[in-house]
Short mmCIF file of all heavy atoms in Angstrom, two decimals:
data_model
loop_
_atom_site.label_atom_id
_atom_site.label_comp_id
_atom_site.label_asym_id
_atom_site.label_seq_id
_atom_site.Cartn_x
_atom_site.Cartn_y
_atom_site.Cartn_z
N MET A 163 -55.46 46.33 168.08
CA MET A 163 -55.73 45.89 166.70
C MET A 163 -56.47 46.97 165.85
O MET A 163 -57.29 47.60 166.41
CB MET A 163 -56.74 44.62 166.81
CG MET A 163 -57.01 44.03 165.47
SD MET A 163 -58.09 42.61 165.83
CE MET A 163 -58.26 42.04 164.21
N LEU A 164 -55.95 47.08 164.69
CA LEU A 164 -56.55 48.09 163.74
C LEU A 164 -57.13 47.36 162.56
O LEU A 164 -56.52 46.49 161.93
CB LEU A 164 -55.48 49.01 163.35
CG LEU A 164 -55.87 50.06 162.27
CD1 LEU A 164 -56.68 51.13 162.93
CD2 LEU A 164 -54.60 50.73 161.78
N LEU A 165 -58.45 47.72 162.32
CA LEU A 165 -59.14 47.18 161.09
C LEU A 165 -58.96 48.16 159.97
O LEU A 165 -59.27 49.40 160.13
CB LEU A 165 -60.49 46.91 161.42
CG LEU A 165 -61.41 46.44 160.29
CD1 LEU A 165 -61.01 45.02 159.74
CD2 LEU A 165 -62.88 46.48 160.64
N SER A 166 -58.52 47.66 158.78
CA SER A 166 -58.38 48.54 157.59
C SER A 166 -59.59 48.24 156.65
O SER A 166 -59.86 47.04 156.37
CB SER A 166 -57.09 48.24 156.77
OG SER A 166 -56.00 48.65 157.61
N ILE A 167 -60.28 49.29 156.26
CA ILE A 167 -61.46 49.11 155.36
C ILE A 167 -61.21 49.86 154.14
O ILE A 167 -60.92 51.21 154.22
CB ILE A 167 -62.68 49.59 156.10
CG1 ILE A 167 -62.98 48.88 157.38
CG2 ILE A 167 -63.90 49.53 155.20
CD1 ILE A 167 -63.98 49.49 158.22
N ILE A 168 -61.35 49.21 152.98
CA ILE A 168 -61.00 49.94 151.70
C ILE A 168 -62.28 49.74 150.93
O ILE A 168 -62.81 48.59 150.74
CB ILE A 168 -59.81 49.21 150.99
CG1 ILE A 168 -58.62 49.34 151.80
CG2 ILE A 168 -59.68 49.92 149.61
CD1 ILE A 168 -57.40 48.60 151.28
N ILE A 169 -62.80 50.91 150.45
CA ILE A 169 -64.06 50.89 149.65
C ILE A 169 -63.74 51.46 148.30
O ILE A 169 -63.12 52.52 148.19
CB ILE A 169 -65.15 51.71 150.34
CG1 ILE A 169 -65.39 51.23 151.79
CG2 ILE A 169 -66.31 51.75 149.52
CD1 ILE A 169 -66.24 52.21 152.62
N VAL A 170 -64.11 50.71 147.22
CA VAL A 170 -63.87 51.19 145.88
C VAL A 170 -65.20 51.78 145.37
O VAL A 170 -66.23 51.16 145.53
CB VAL A 170 -63.37 50.11 144.92
CG1 VAL A 170 -63.17 50.54 143.54
CG2 VAL A 170 -62.03 49.47 145.48
N ASN A 171 -65.14 52.93 144.85
CA ASN A 171 -66.35 53.64 144.43
C ASN A 171 -66.28 53.93 142.98
O ASN A 171 -65.29 54.29 142.35
CB ASN A 171 -66.52 54.92 145.17
CG ASN A 171 -67.67 55.80 144.76
OD1 ASN A 171 -68.78 55.39 144.93
ND2 ASN A 171 -67.39 56.88 144.13
N TYR A 172 -67.51 53.89 142.32
CA TYR A 172 -67.72 54.42 141.03
C TYR A 172 -69.21 54.88 140.90
O TYR A 172 -70.14 54.09 140.84
CB TYR A 172 -67.42 53.42 139.87
CG TYR A 172 -67.57 54.03 138.51
CD1 TYR A 172 -66.65 54.81 138.02
CD2 TYR A 172 -68.72 53.80 137.80
CE1 TYR A 172 -66.77 55.50 136.78
CE2 TYR A 172 -68.89 54.38 136.48
CZ TYR A 172 -67.88 55.17 136.04
OH TYR A 172 -67.93 55.84 134.81
N ASN A 173 -69.42 56.18 141.03
CA ASN A 173 -70.66 56.79 140.88
C ASN A 173 -71.72 56.44 141.98
O ASN A 173 -72.88 56.25 141.60
CB ASN A 173 -71.32 56.46 139.46
CG ASN A 173 -71.34 57.59 138.54
OD1 ASN A 173 -70.72 58.63 138.84
ND2 ASN A 173 -71.95 57.50 137.42
N THR A 174 -71.27 56.22 143.09
CA THR A 174 -72.21 55.82 144.17
C THR A 174 -72.04 56.67 145.47
O THR A 174 -71.99 56.18 146.58
CB THR A 174 -72.05 54.33 144.61
OG1 THR A 174 -70.71 54.07 145.02
CG2 THR A 174 -72.44 53.43 143.42
N ALA A 175 -71.89 57.94 145.31
CA ALA A 175 -71.63 58.90 146.44
C ALA A 175 -72.68 58.70 147.55
O ALA A 175 -72.25 58.66 148.75
CB ALA A 175 -71.40 60.23 145.98
N ASP A 176 -73.88 58.70 147.20
CA ASP A 176 -74.96 58.57 148.27
C ASP A 176 -74.81 57.28 149.06
O ASP A 176 -75.01 57.26 150.26
CB ASP A 176 -76.34 58.65 147.56
CG ASP A 176 -76.65 60.06 147.08
OD1 ASP A 176 -76.05 60.95 147.61
OD2 ASP A 176 -77.43 60.11 146.18
N HIS A 177 -74.46 56.24 148.43
CA HIS A 177 -74.25 54.89 149.12
C HIS A 177 -73.02 54.90 149.94
O HIS A 177 -72.97 54.33 150.99
CB HIS A 177 -74.19 53.72 148.05
CG HIS A 177 -75.35 53.41 147.30
ND1 HIS A 177 -76.56 53.07 147.83
CD2 HIS A 177 -75.58 53.68 145.97
CE1 HIS A 177 -77.41 52.95 146.86
NE2 HIS A 177 -76.87 53.32 145.74
N ILE A 178 -71.98 55.53 149.46
CA ILE A 178 -70.74 55.71 150.24
C ILE A 178 -71.00 56.49 151.53
O ILE A 178 -70.59 56.11 152.59
CB ILE A 178 -69.58 56.40 149.43
CG1 ILE A 178 -69.22 55.57 148.24
CG2 ILE A 178 -68.47 56.75 150.28
CD1 ILE A 178 -68.70 54.16 148.59
N ARG A 179 -71.83 57.55 151.42
CA ARG A 179 -72.19 58.43 152.58
C ARG A 179 -72.84 57.45 153.64
O ARG A 179 -72.52 57.49 154.90
CB ARG A 179 -73.05 59.57 152.14
CG ARG A 179 -73.46 60.40 153.42
CD ARG A 179 -74.30 61.57 152.96
NE ARG A 179 -73.52 62.60 152.29
CZ ARG A 179 -73.59 62.87 150.98
NH1 ARG A 179 -74.40 62.22 150.24
NH2 ARG A 179 -72.79 63.86 150.55
N VAL A 180 -73.83 56.72 153.19
CA VAL A 180 -74.59 55.85 154.17
C VAL A 180 -73.68 54.80 154.73
O VAL A 180 -73.79 54.50 155.98
CB VAL A 180 -75.85 55.21 153.38
CG1 VAL A 180 -76.43 54.15 154.30
CG2 VAL A 180 -76.86 56.26 153.01
N CYS A 181 -72.88 54.24 153.86
CA CYS A 181 -71.89 53.23 154.42
C CYS A 181 -70.90 53.85 155.47
O CYS A 181 -70.72 53.22 156.56
CB CYS A 181 -71.06 52.72 153.22
SG CYS A 181 -69.79 51.50 153.65
N LEU A 182 -70.43 54.96 155.21
CA LEU A 182 -69.52 55.62 156.21
C LEU A 182 -70.25 56.01 157.45
O LEU A 182 -69.62 55.83 158.58
CB LEU A 182 -68.74 56.86 155.55
CG LEU A 182 -67.88 56.57 154.43
CD1 LEU A 182 -67.35 57.79 153.77
CD2 LEU A 182 -66.77 55.66 154.81
N GLU A 183 -71.44 56.52 157.36
CA GLU A 183 -72.21 56.76 158.59
C GLU A 183 -72.44 55.55 159.40
O GLU A 183 -72.35 55.48 160.59
CB GLU A 183 -73.49 57.45 158.21
CG GLU A 183 -73.49 58.83 157.68
CD GLU A 183 -74.71 59.42 157.01
OE1 GLU A 183 -75.65 58.62 156.87
OE2 GLU A 183 -74.69 60.67 156.77
N SER A 184 -72.74 54.43 158.70
CA SER A 184 -73.00 53.18 159.43
C SER A 184 -71.64 52.68 160.11
O SER A 184 -71.75 52.19 161.17
CB SER A 184 -73.45 52.10 158.47
OG SER A 184 -74.75 52.46 157.97
N LEU A 185 -70.58 52.76 159.34
CA LEU A 185 -69.29 52.36 159.98
C LEU A 185 -68.98 53.11 161.24
O LEU A 185 -68.61 52.49 162.28
CB LEU A 185 -68.18 52.38 158.98
CG LEU A 185 -68.23 51.43 157.81
CD1 LEU A 185 -67.16 51.84 156.76
CD2 LEU A 185 -67.97 49.97 158.38
N ASP A 186 -69.23 54.38 161.16
CA ASP A 186 -68.85 55.24 162.31
C ASP A 186 -69.85 54.94 163.49
O ASP A 186 -69.44 54.81 164.66
CB ASP A 186 -69.08 56.68 162.02
CG ASP A 186 -67.88 57.22 161.13
OD1 ASP A 186 -66.83 56.56 161.06
OD2 ASP A 186 -68.06 58.24 160.51
N LYS A 187 -71.15 54.63 163.19
CA LYS A 187 -72.14 54.45 164.23
C LYS A 187 -71.96 53.04 164.89
O LYS A 187 -72.08 52.91 166.13
CB LYS A 187 -73.55 54.51 163.62
CG LYS A 187 -74.59 54.41 164.56
CD LYS A 187 -76.04 54.66 163.94
CE LYS A 187 -77.14 54.50 164.98
NZ LYS A 187 -78.44 54.84 164.36
N PHE A 188 -71.75 51.94 164.12
CA PHE A 188 -71.80 50.64 164.63
C PHE A 188 -70.49 49.94 164.89
O PHE A 188 -70.40 48.90 165.58
CB PHE A 188 -72.69 49.80 163.67
CG PHE A 188 -74.05 50.32 163.63
CD1 PHE A 188 -74.63 50.84 162.44
CD2 PHE A 188 -75.02 50.11 164.78
CE1 PHE A 188 -75.93 51.21 162.44
CE2 PHE A 188 -76.26 50.58 164.73
CZ PHE A 188 -76.74 51.07 163.53
N LEU A 189 -69.40 50.38 164.27
CA LEU A 189 -68.13 49.72 164.35
C LEU A 189 -67.27 50.54 165.39
O LEU A 189 -66.63 51.45 164.95
CB LEU A 189 -67.48 49.62 163.04
CG LEU A 189 -66.35 48.74 162.85
CD1 LEU A 189 -66.74 47.19 163.18
CD2 LEU A 189 -65.77 48.66 161.49
N LYS A 190 -67.30 50.09 166.62
CA LYS A 190 -66.63 50.83 167.62
C LYS A 190 -65.31 50.23 168.00
O LYS A 190 -64.98 50.06 169.11
CB LYS A 190 -67.52 50.90 168.94
CG LYS A 190 -68.92 51.34 168.71
CD LYS A 190 -68.82 52.94 168.38
CE LYS A 190 -70.21 53.45 168.30
NZ LYS A 190 -70.08 54.88 167.83
N ILE A 191 -64.41 49.97 166.98
CA ILE A 191 -63.09 49.56 167.20
C ILE A 191 -62.12 50.53 166.49
O ILE A 191 -62.62 51.29 165.65
CB ILE A 191 -62.85 48.08 166.72
CG1 ILE A 191 -63.17 48.03 165.22
CG2 ILE A 191 -63.78 47.18 167.60
CD1 ILE A 191 -62.86 46.66 164.59
N ASP A 192 -60.80 50.44 166.68
CA ASP A 192 -59.92 51.21 165.95
C ASP A 192 -59.97 50.74 164.45
O ASP A 192 -59.89 49.66 164.18
CB ASP A 192 -58.47 51.01 166.52
CG ASP A 192 -58.33 51.67 167.86
OD1 ASP A 192 -59.02 52.63 168.11
OD2 ASP A 192 -57.44 51.22 168.54
N LYS A 193 -60.04 51.78 163.64
CA LYS A 193 -60.22 51.46 162.18
C LYS A 193 -59.51 52.63 161.33
O LYS A 193 -59.52 53.77 161.83
CB LYS A 193 -61.73 51.24 161.79
CG LYS A 193 -62.60 52.43 162.04
CD LYS A 193 -64.06 52.08 161.94
CE LYS A 193 -64.96 53.24 162.32
NZ LYS A 193 -65.07 53.33 163.68
N GLU A 194 -59.24 52.18 160.17
CA GLU A 194 -58.85 53.23 159.18
C GLU A 194 -59.66 52.94 157.98
O GLU A 194 -59.88 51.77 157.56
CB GLU A 194 -57.29 53.08 158.87
CG GLU A 194 -56.91 51.85 158.19
CD GLU A 194 -55.38 51.93 157.87
OE1 GLU A 194 -54.77 52.95 157.90
OE2 GLU A 194 -54.89 50.83 157.41
N ILE A 195 -60.20 54.03 157.36
CA ILE A 195 -61.17 53.78 156.31
C ILE A 195 -60.50 54.49 155.04
O ILE A 195 -60.14 55.71 155.22
CB ILE A 195 -62.46 54.28 156.55
CG1 ILE A 195 -63.04 53.66 157.80
CG2 ILE A 195 -63.39 54.20 155.39
CD1 ILE A 195 -64.34 54.21 158.28
N LEU A 196 -60.46 53.83 153.94
CA LEU A 196 -59.96 54.49 152.61
C LEU A 196 -61.08 54.30 151.65
O LEU A 196 -61.59 53.19 151.51
CB LEU A 196 -58.75 53.72 152.15
CG LEU A 196 -57.50 53.94 152.89
CD1 LEU A 196 -57.32 53.03 154.01
CD2 LEU A 196 -56.27 53.91 151.91
N VAL A 197 -61.34 55.29 150.89
CA VAL A 197 -62.37 55.31 149.85
C VAL A 197 -61.55 55.66 148.58
O VAL A 197 -60.99 56.63 148.42
CB VAL A 197 -63.53 56.27 150.08
CG1 VAL A 197 -64.46 56.31 148.86
CG2 VAL A 197 -64.26 55.83 151.32
N VAL A 198 -61.58 54.71 147.57
CA VAL A 198 -60.97 54.95 146.38
C VAL A 198 -62.00 55.16 145.28
O VAL A 198 -62.92 54.39 145.07
CB VAL A 198 -60.09 53.83 145.86
CG1 VAL A 198 -59.42 54.05 144.61
CG2 VAL A 198 -59.08 53.51 147.01
N ASP A 199 -61.98 56.44 144.67
CA ASP A 199 -62.91 56.71 143.58
C ASP A 199 -62.26 56.59 142.29
O ASP A 199 -61.26 57.15 141.95
CB ASP A 199 -63.45 58.15 143.77
CG ASP A 199 -64.45 58.56 142.65
OD1 ASP A 199 -65.55 58.04 142.69
OD2 ASP A 199 -64.05 59.26 141.77
N ASN A 200 -62.93 55.71 141.41
CA ASN A 200 -62.40 55.36 140.11
C ASN A 200 -62.92 56.35 139.02
O ASN A 200 -63.54 55.89 138.17
CB ASN A 200 -62.67 53.94 139.82
CG ASN A 200 -61.65 52.97 140.29
OD1 ASN A 200 -60.54 53.34 140.57
ND2 ASN A 200 -62.04 51.72 140.53
N HIS A 201 -62.63 57.57 139.19
CA HIS A 201 -62.89 58.62 138.23
C HIS A 201 -64.45 58.64 137.93
O HIS A 201 -64.77 58.66 136.76
CB HIS A 201 -62.11 58.48 137.01
CG HIS A 201 -62.07 59.67 136.12
ND1 HIS A 201 -61.45 60.87 136.52
CD2 HIS A 201 -62.44 59.84 134.81
CE1 HIS A 201 -61.59 61.69 135.51
NE2 HIS A 201 -62.22 61.15 134.52
N SER A 202 -65.27 58.76 138.95
CA SER A 202 -66.71 58.81 138.73
C SER A 202 -67.06 60.07 138.00
O SER A 202 -66.51 61.20 138.29
CB SER A 202 -67.46 58.85 140.03
OG SER A 202 -67.25 57.72 140.80
N PRO A 203 -67.87 60.01 136.94
CA PRO A 203 -68.35 61.24 136.30
C PRO A 203 -69.23 62.02 137.17
O PRO A 203 -69.34 63.30 136.99
CB PRO A 203 -69.13 60.70 135.04
CG PRO A 203 -69.35 59.25 135.26
CD PRO A 203 -68.42 58.74 136.23
N GLN A 204 -69.88 61.44 138.05
CA GLN A 204 -70.79 62.10 139.10
C GLN A 204 -69.81 62.58 140.16
O GLN A 204 -69.27 61.81 140.93
CB GLN A 204 -71.72 61.09 139.62
CG GLN A 204 -72.87 61.58 140.50
CD GLN A 204 -73.70 60.48 140.98
OE1 GLN A 204 -73.19 59.59 141.61
NE2 GLN A 204 -74.99 60.52 140.72
N ARG A 205 -69.68 63.92 140.31
CA ARG A 205 -68.54 64.47 141.13
C ARG A 205 -69.04 64.72 142.58
O ARG A 205 -68.33 65.38 143.35
CB ARG A 205 -67.98 65.72 140.59
CG ARG A 205 -67.38 65.57 139.14
CD ARG A 205 -66.36 64.42 138.98
NE ARG A 205 -65.34 64.29 139.87
CZ ARG A 205 -64.50 63.39 140.02
NH1 ARG A 205 -64.74 62.22 139.32
NH2 ARG A 205 -63.47 63.29 140.90
N ASP A 206 -70.19 64.20 142.92
CA ASP A 206 -70.73 64.40 144.39
C ASP A 206 -69.76 63.88 145.34
O ASP A 206 -69.73 64.27 146.50
CB ASP A 206 -72.08 63.69 144.50
CG ASP A 206 -73.21 64.44 143.64
OD1 ASP A 206 -72.95 65.51 143.23
OD2 ASP A 206 -74.21 63.85 143.49
N ILE A 207 -68.95 62.80 145.03
CA ILE A 207 -68.06 62.19 145.89
C ILE A 207 -67.04 63.15 146.45
O ILE A 207 -66.57 62.97 147.54
CB ILE A 207 -67.39 60.95 145.31
CG1 ILE A 207 -66.58 60.20 146.26
CG2 ILE A 207 -66.47 61.39 144.13
CD1 ILE A 207 -67.35 59.13 146.98
N GLU A 208 -66.71 64.22 145.70
CA GLU A 208 -65.71 65.26 146.13
C GLU A 208 -66.09 66.02 147.36
O GLU A 208 -65.27 66.67 147.98
CB GLU A 208 -65.38 66.14 144.99
CG GLU A 208 -64.61 65.38 143.85
CD GLU A 208 -64.34 66.18 142.65
OE1 GLU A 208 -64.88 67.30 142.51
OE2 GLU A 208 -63.67 65.73 141.70
N LYS A 209 -67.38 65.95 147.73
CA LYS A 209 -67.93 66.76 148.91
C LYS A 209 -67.67 65.95 150.17
O LYS A 209 -67.64 66.46 151.25
CB LYS A 209 -69.35 67.09 148.72
CG LYS A 209 -69.70 67.88 147.56
CD LYS A 209 -71.19 67.99 147.38
CE LYS A 209 -71.45 68.73 146.09
NZ LYS A 209 -72.89 68.76 145.79
N LEU A 210 -67.46 64.56 150.01
CA LEU A 210 -67.47 63.79 151.25
C LEU A 210 -66.26 63.95 152.15
O LEU A 210 -66.39 63.82 153.40
CB LEU A 210 -67.58 62.24 150.76
CG LEU A 210 -68.92 61.87 150.27
CD1 LEU A 210 -68.98 60.35 149.93
CD2 LEU A 210 -70.08 62.21 151.18
N PRO A 211 -65.00 64.34 151.66
CA PRO A 211 -63.91 64.47 152.59
C PRO A 211 -64.19 65.55 153.69
O PRO A 211 -63.64 65.39 154.74
CB PRO A 211 -62.79 64.86 151.68
CG PRO A 211 -63.13 64.25 150.44
CD PRO A 211 -64.54 64.30 150.24
N THR A 212 -64.89 66.56 153.45
CA THR A 212 -65.30 67.55 154.44
C THR A 212 -66.31 66.95 155.47
O THR A 212 -66.33 67.37 156.61
CB THR A 212 -65.86 68.79 153.84
OG1 THR A 212 -67.03 68.51 153.00
CG2 THR A 212 -64.80 69.53 152.95
N GLU A 213 -67.18 66.06 155.08
CA GLU A 213 -68.09 65.41 155.99
C GLU A 213 -67.43 64.33 156.80
O GLU A 213 -67.88 64.05 157.94
CB GLU A 213 -69.35 64.76 155.17
CG GLU A 213 -70.20 65.78 154.48
CD GLU A 213 -71.26 65.03 153.72
OE1 GLU A 213 -71.81 64.16 154.20
OE2 GLU A 213 -71.48 65.48 152.55
N PHE A 214 -66.37 63.73 156.26
CA PHE A 214 -65.72 62.57 156.85
C PHE A 214 -64.19 62.77 156.91
O PHE A 214 -63.44 62.20 156.23
CB PHE A 214 -66.07 61.23 156.26
CG PHE A 214 -67.52 60.97 156.20
CD1 PHE A 214 -68.33 61.36 155.10
CD2 PHE A 214 -68.14 60.31 157.25
CE1 PHE A 214 -69.71 60.95 155.11
CE2 PHE A 214 -69.53 60.04 157.22
CZ PHE A 214 -70.25 60.45 156.13
N PRO A 215 -63.77 63.80 157.72
CA PRO A 215 -62.39 64.13 157.71
C PRO A 215 -61.40 62.93 158.21
O PRO A 215 -60.26 63.03 157.87
CB PRO A 215 -62.27 65.37 158.56
CG PRO A 215 -63.44 65.26 159.50
CD PRO A 215 -64.55 64.56 158.75
N HIS A 216 -61.96 61.98 158.90
CA HIS A 216 -61.16 60.86 159.49
C HIS A 216 -60.90 59.74 158.31
O HIS A 216 -60.17 58.87 158.53
CB HIS A 216 -61.76 60.33 160.63
CG HIS A 216 -63.22 59.80 160.44
ND1 HIS A 216 -64.26 60.66 160.20
CD2 HIS A 216 -63.64 58.49 160.30
CE1 HIS A 216 -65.27 59.87 159.97
NE2 HIS A 216 -65.00 58.59 160.07
N VAL A 217 -61.60 59.95 157.27
CA VAL A 217 -61.52 58.93 156.13
C VAL A 217 -60.61 59.49 155.06
O VAL A 217 -60.55 60.70 154.78
CB VAL A 217 -62.85 58.70 155.46
CG1 VAL A 217 -62.81 57.75 154.29
CG2 VAL A 217 -63.89 58.21 156.50
N LYS A 218 -59.68 58.61 154.55
CA LYS A 218 -58.81 59.01 153.57
C LYS A 218 -59.47 58.76 152.16
O LYS A 218 -59.86 57.51 151.90
CB LYS A 218 -57.46 58.21 153.59
CG LYS A 218 -56.48 58.53 152.48
CD LYS A 218 -55.20 57.96 152.73
CE LYS A 218 -54.26 58.15 151.56
NZ LYS A 218 -53.37 59.21 151.47
N PHE A 219 -59.52 59.73 151.41
CA PHE A 219 -60.11 59.59 150.01
C PHE A 219 -58.92 59.69 148.96
O PHE A 219 -58.15 60.54 149.01
CB PHE A 219 -61.09 60.73 149.78
CG PHE A 219 -62.43 60.58 150.53
CD1 PHE A 219 -62.41 61.03 151.82
CD2 PHE A 219 -63.48 60.00 149.99
CE1 PHE A 219 -63.71 60.88 152.52
CE2 PHE A 219 -64.69 59.84 150.69
CZ PHE A 219 -64.69 60.30 151.95
N ILE A 220 -59.07 58.81 148.05
CA ILE A 220 -58.11 58.73 146.83
C ILE A 220 -58.86 58.95 145.64
O ILE A 220 -59.83 58.12 145.35
CB ILE A 220 -57.28 57.48 146.90
CG1 ILE A 220 -56.51 57.32 148.20
CG2 ILE A 220 -56.41 57.46 145.59
CD1 ILE A 220 -55.88 55.96 148.27
N PHE A 221 -58.68 60.01 144.87
CA PHE A 221 -59.39 60.26 143.56
C PHE A 221 -58.51 59.86 142.47
O PHE A 221 -57.50 60.62 142.22
CB PHE A 221 -59.85 61.75 143.62
CG PHE A 221 -60.86 62.06 144.60
CD1 PHE A 221 -60.42 62.73 145.84
CD2 PHE A 221 -62.22 61.74 144.53
CE1 PHE A 221 -61.32 63.05 146.85
CE2 PHE A 221 -63.11 62.02 145.64
CZ PHE A 221 -62.60 62.61 146.71
N ARG A 222 -58.91 58.85 141.75
CA ARG A 222 -58.18 58.43 140.59
C ARG A 222 -58.59 59.23 139.24
O ARG A 222 -59.63 59.63 139.27
CB ARG A 222 -58.34 56.96 140.31
CG ARG A 222 -57.77 56.13 141.59
CD ARG A 222 -57.80 54.65 141.32
NE ARG A 222 -57.59 54.14 140.02
CZ ARG A 222 -56.47 53.93 139.36
NH1 ARG A 222 -55.34 53.94 140.05
NH2 ARG A 222 -56.44 53.43 138.27
N ASN A 223 -57.68 59.30 138.36
CA ASN A 223 -57.91 59.98 137.08
C ASN A 223 -58.40 59.07 136.01
O ASN A 223 -58.71 59.53 134.85
CB ASN A 223 -56.79 60.73 136.71
CG ASN A 223 -56.35 61.88 137.58
OD1 ASN A 223 -57.20 62.50 138.18
ND2 ASN A 223 -55.02 62.18 137.82
N THR A 224 -58.49 57.80 136.29
CA THR A 224 -58.95 56.79 135.33
C THR A 224 -59.81 55.78 136.03
O THR A 224 -59.77 55.65 137.20
CB THR A 224 -57.74 56.07 134.66
OG1 THR A 224 -57.00 55.36 135.63
CG2 THR A 224 -56.84 57.01 133.86
N ASN A 225 -60.57 55.08 135.24
CA ASN A 225 -61.35 53.96 135.75
C ASN A 225 -60.82 52.70 135.18
O ASN A 225 -61.29 52.25 134.11
CB ASN A 225 -62.83 54.26 135.40
CG ASN A 225 -63.74 53.05 135.92
OD1 ASN A 225 -63.26 52.25 136.69
ND2 ASN A 225 -64.97 53.12 135.62
N ASP A 226 -59.89 52.12 135.91
CA ASP A 226 -59.29 50.84 135.41
C ASP A 226 -59.62 49.69 136.41
O ASP A 226 -59.55 49.86 137.52
CB ASP A 226 -57.89 50.84 135.24
CG ASP A 226 -57.15 52.17 134.97
OD1 ASP A 226 -57.72 53.01 134.37
OD2 ASP A 226 -56.06 52.25 135.42
#
């Protein structure tokens, strides 16, 4: 069984980092994690793919 987790982000890179760390630490099942950034003006989120290479990041060009 595979659990899919989709997280939508807007300007909360620090919270996303803590969330991903918690998922890795406590959720010990097969999972795929996607983080969708809705064009955050705060670009700290762009550093996270190197910290979490197993997570798929999608960076949108608009916030709809």
Side-chain angles (χ1 to χ4, degrees):
M163 180 176 183
L164 177 69
L165 175 67
S166 296
I167 301 166
I168 302 171
I169 303 168
V170 178
N171 174 68
Y172 183 77
N173 252 12
T174 59
D176 291 336
H177 296 294
I178 296 298
R179 180 180 286 108
V180 171
C181 178
L182 294 174
E183 289 170 349
S184 294
L185 288 171
D186 287 345
K187 183 176 181 179
F188 296 110
L189 195 57
K190 301 295 185 190
I191 62 171
D192 287 337
K193 60 190 173 287
E194 64 177 352
I195 304 171
L196 288 85
V197 175
V198 180
D199 179 71
N200 275 335
H201 198 62
S202 296
Q204 189 182 59
R205 301 316 299 173
D206 293 345
I207 188 87
E208 292 176 350
K209 300 173 187 172
L210 292 182
T212 56
E213 293 178 44
F214 301 94
H216 60 287
V217 175
K218 177 168 171 96
F219 287 85
I220 300 170
F221 296 100
R222 296 183 32 91
N223 293 325
T224 60
N225 181 6
D226 332 331

